[in-house]
Amino acid sequence: MKKLIVLLPLFFFLSSRAQVNVKAIDKYIEQALKDWNVPGMAVGIVKDGEIVLSKGYGVKEIGGKEKVDDNTQFAIASNSKAFVASCIARLVEEGKLSWKDKVRDYLPYFNLYGNEYVSAEATVEDLLCHRVGLGTFSGDVIWYKSEKSPEEIIKRAAYVPEAFSFRDGYGYTNLMFIAAGEVIRSVTGNSWEKYVEEHFLNPLGMVNTIISVRDLSDNAATPHKPTLANGTVPGPWASWDNSSAAGGIISSSTDMSKWMMMNLNAGEWDGRQYIDKEQQNLLWTPHNNNKLSERSKELGWGLMDYHGNLVASHGGGYDGMYSRVMMVPDINLGVVVLTNTMEGISTPLTYYIVNQYLQKDMRDWSVEYLERARSRNSHKEDVEERMTKRVTGTKPTIDPQLFAGTYNDPMYGDIVVIEDSEGFRMTFADAPALSATLSHWHYDTYEIKWDEEHAWFDFGTVSFELNNNLDVEGIEFDVPNGDIFFHELHPKRKGK
């Protein structure tokens, strides 16, 4: 009987671990890859301080033969925000700043929508809580493919409109994480990239993790974009160097597994304390009391109660790549999914894997999400609507030569329209990658034909605005997409 009593706990322990069939999860991922027509991805699962799966699936580039492995590099995009938050937490622990410090103590030029009170009172904590009053993704057009410095981006953010009252709502803002990166620079005297490398990436042994496309290895996945006409097509890596604090990290499933194990172990790993336990707990504590359905995004993480368990998660969207990280500290579980396409496969896969360990809600998440994705494409519908409303056989209401000129938007800068042999050319200050040819669409509206392929948008138009005297006053954009809001720009003709 004593032997039986001694053996029972071990038996039950082994039985509970055996309930999760990692090989079955592996097969499920393989099938999902085919169902979603995703070229390649990498998945990492950590449980109880061990990597139970870190594996590549598919190929680095569609039509190619090079397979993805556990060290293949993918952009993690906004999953970088958790690294920024951890850097801030470590600096707080070191006594070099406080969460309640005013942003202006470090960035004297910091200004939000012309409101002096808000600009002066915004704290370091506010930067990471998405509660400063800016709308979700508002102002991303400032930094996207721009050569502006982080400081110049933050200065331009002063012209991004207020969406809600200070600390009275939720608006996911990349701009404020760029500002947080500059706070780290101000405190340490060096870039946030150098700080995170020295205090997290290098000591954790994240040897395949970088923060610039300039440092990509030969073992890097190729970004892909789903298109209406040509299916899934490969594209180039885009530089996010100026916005790296919002989403510039590039990593692998094995490296991200190391990162998750450190976070799940209260900021300590392999005998080294990376973040003080108190600060780690603070990162996973709600700071925004506004209603956000079941989620509460805070300090670089999205927090929610899921089947009675705390879940810390975040997604990432980069030009041609999506990712997701999900951790359940109550059961010491972490999952990361990195993909080389802009298909929403990462979210259902993380939920499926987490539910296998929780033994809850064990439905076919991949199939359900795929059905939703196939039935909903709002931007496709937006473009089709523009197509059907085009009025053929029209011409500009004034001499088209009068459209040429320099236009300025305080939030962005100069946009130049010049006439050439093929019609008009449009160039953006500090963003040569956004150059385009303008082709007559109807009346005073021209179609934007981008010089380069862009992941987030393709079709777009620009209209020349006239006053009652038929003088050209400005231009207005219509570029349907879910993130880079050109319609926030209202450039006015210089000299008018």
Side-chain angles (χ1 to χ4, degrees):
M1 179 63 70
K2 283 185 178 180
K3 289 183 179 179
L4 180 61
I5 293 174
V6 171
L7 291 174
L8 274 174
L10 177 60
F11 171 78
F12 285 131
F13 173 74
L14 293 174
S15 296
S16 66
R17 290 182 67 96
Q19 288 178 353
V20 179
N21 188 334
V22 178
K23 289 185 178 180
I25 292 175
D26 179 51
K27 290 182 179 179
Y28 186 87
I29 296 169
E30 290 276 12
Q31 186 60 51
L33 183 85
K34 297 175 184 176
D35 293 343
W36 284 79
N37 193 29
V38 171
M41 62 183 175
V43 178
I45 304 173
V46 299
K47 183 73 171 75
D48 299 327
E50 297 179 359
I51 299 177
V52 297
L53 177 72
S54 184
K55 181 179 176 182
Y57 300 83
V59 292
K60 298 177 187 177
E61 183 171 333
I62 192 167
K65 296 182 179 180
E66 290 189 59
K67 295 186 178 298
V68 174
D69 61 39
D70 62 313
N71 292 314
T72 300
Q73 294 172 322
F74 294 80
I76 71 169
S78 286
N79 281 302
S80 305
K81 290 179 171 66
F83 288 81
V84 174
S86 293
C87 289
I88 295 285
R90 184 178 177 91
L91 289 170
V92 171
E93 176 192 342
E94 294 172 348
K96 295 180 179 178
L97 59 75
S98 165
W99 291 107
K100 301 301 182 182
D101 284 350
K102 302 296 189 291
V103 177
R104 277 193 175 174
D105 292 344
Y106 305 100
L107 310 179
Y109 52 83
F110 183 77
N111 188 13
L112 289 171
Y113 39 86
N115 188 311
E116 181 59 27
Y117 172 79
V118 173
S119 303
E121 290 299 311
T123 66
V124 173
E125 181 179 272
D126 289 323
L127 294 178
L128 308 187
C129 291
H130 304 298
R131 65 188 186 190
V132 297
L134 301 180
T136 293
F137 301 146
S138 189
D140 279 357
V141 69
I142 299 172
W143 60 262
Y144 184 69
K145 294 197 174 178
S146 169
E147 296 176 351
K148 295 180 177 71
S149 67
E151 179 176 331
E152 179 59 24
I153 291 169
I154 298 164
K155 288 179 177 178
R156 295 283 183 179
Y159 299 97
V160 178
E162 178 183 8
F164 55 87
S165 297
F166 183 49
R167 296 175 184 161
D168 193 32
Y170 175 84
Y172 186 92
T173 170
N174 289 304
L175 293 172
M176 294 302 98
F177 270 82
I178 296 173
E182 290 305 284
V183 168
I184 295 171
R185 182 192 299 275
S186 177
V187 172
T188 65
N190 215 329
S191 67
W192 94 271
E193 293 96 334
K194 292 294 184 183
Y195 189 84
V196 75
E197 286 174 355
E198 179 181 350
H199 295 282
F200 291 95
L201 306 185
N202 293 342
L204 277 169
M206 298 177 69
V207 295
N208 293 302
T209 300
I210 57 176
I211 319 178
S212 174
V213 296
R214 296 191 305 268
D215 300 322
L216 284 168
S217 73
D218 293 335
N219 189 7
T222 297
H224 293 79
K225 172 186 177 180
T227 66
L228 299 178
N230 303 310
T232 300
V233 297
W237 281 83
S239 174
W240 281 25
D241 288 3
N242 63 350
S243 57
S244 65
I249 291 180
I250 298 165
S251 191
S252 68
S253 62
T254 292
D255 278 7
M256 289 299 292
S257 294
K258 297 173 183 177
W259 164 252
M260 291 190 298
M261 288 189 292
M262 180 274 291
N263 277 276
L264 287 164
N265 199 44
E268 186 271 334
W269 189 249
D270 197 23
R272 177 167 180 158
Q273 194 73 40
Y274 290 81
I275 315 171
D276 177 80
K277 185 175 182 179
E278 179 182 351
Q279 295 300 322
Q280 178 66 25
N281 288 338
L282 186 66
L283 295 180
W284 287 352
T285 300
H287 292 74
N288 193 332
N289 294 321
N290 297 284
K291 185 177 180 180
L292 302 170
S293 66
E294 80 280 10
R295 299 171 187 270
S296 181
K297 294 181 183 283
E298 310 297 342
L299 299 180
W301 293 102
L303 306 178
M304 67 177 178
D305 179 288
Y306 188 67
H307 295 302
N309 296 276
L310 170 67
V311 169
S313 69
H314 209 291
Y318 170 85
D319 300 58
M321 294 187 171
Y322 283 171
S323 65
R324 179 158 289 279
V325 172
M326 184 175 288
M327 291 187 283
V328 190
D330 294 347
I331 60 171
N332 203 4
L333 172 71
V335 181
V336 59
V337 177
L338 309 173
T339 76
N340 64 353
T341 188
M342 299 173 76
E343 296 283 4
I345 188 174
S346 56
T347 295
L349 281 184
T350 51
Y351 272 101
Y352 173 82
I353 295 168
V354 165
N355 280 295
Q356 295 302 302
Y357 281 89
L358 291 176
Q359 292 290 291
K360 301 281 188 180
D361 206 1
M362 296 170 66
R363 61 185 193 264
D364 197 335
W365 286 81
S366 174
V367 169
E368 288 190 20
Y369 267 68
L370 182 56
E371 290 175 354
R372 294 183 204 173
R374 286 174 173 169
S375 65
R376 184 176 64 243
N377 191 333
S378 59
H379 302 310
K380 174 185 175 183
E381 294 170 357
D382 290 340
V383 172
E384 289 176 345
E385 178 190 23
R386 272 56 163 188
M387 297 290 186
T388 60
K389 291 188 175 181
R390 182 181 187 183
V391 183
T392 59
T394 66
K395 61 181 181 180
T397 56
I398 63 172
D399 183 351
Q401 291 182 339
L402 298 175
F403 295 147
T406 299
Y407 300 79
N408 180 269
D409 181 276
M411 189 171 86
Y412 191 85
D414 286 348
I415 298 171
V416 179
V417 176
I418 61 172
E419 190 175 16
D420 68 6
S421 59
E422 298 182 4
F424 290 103
R425 293 280 301 160
M426 180 172 63
T427 58
F428 293 73
D430 305 321
L434 293 178
S435 296
T437 297
L438 300 182
S439 175
H440 187 252
W441 183 250
H442 61 201
Y443 299 110
D444 299 323
T445 298
Y446 284 73
E447 182 181 1
I448 304 170
K449 295 187 175 181
W450 310 100
D451 292 353
E452 299 181 8
E453 183 86 8
H454 300 294
W456 301 101
F457 51 85
D458 35 47
F459 176 82
T461 59
V462 59
S463 293
F464 292 91
E465 303 296 313
L466 311 179
N467 64 18
N468 291 351
N469 297 321
L470 298 183
D471 296 321
V472 182
E473 287 199 329
I475 54 179
E476 293 293 326
F477 287 91
D478 181 21
V479 184
N481 74 93
D483 193 326
I484 313 302
F485 300 153
F486 286 90
H487 63 265
E488 291 186 323
L489 305 180
H490 305 285
K492 299 302 179 184
R493 182 81 170 267
K494 275 189 171 183
K496 294 291 183 179

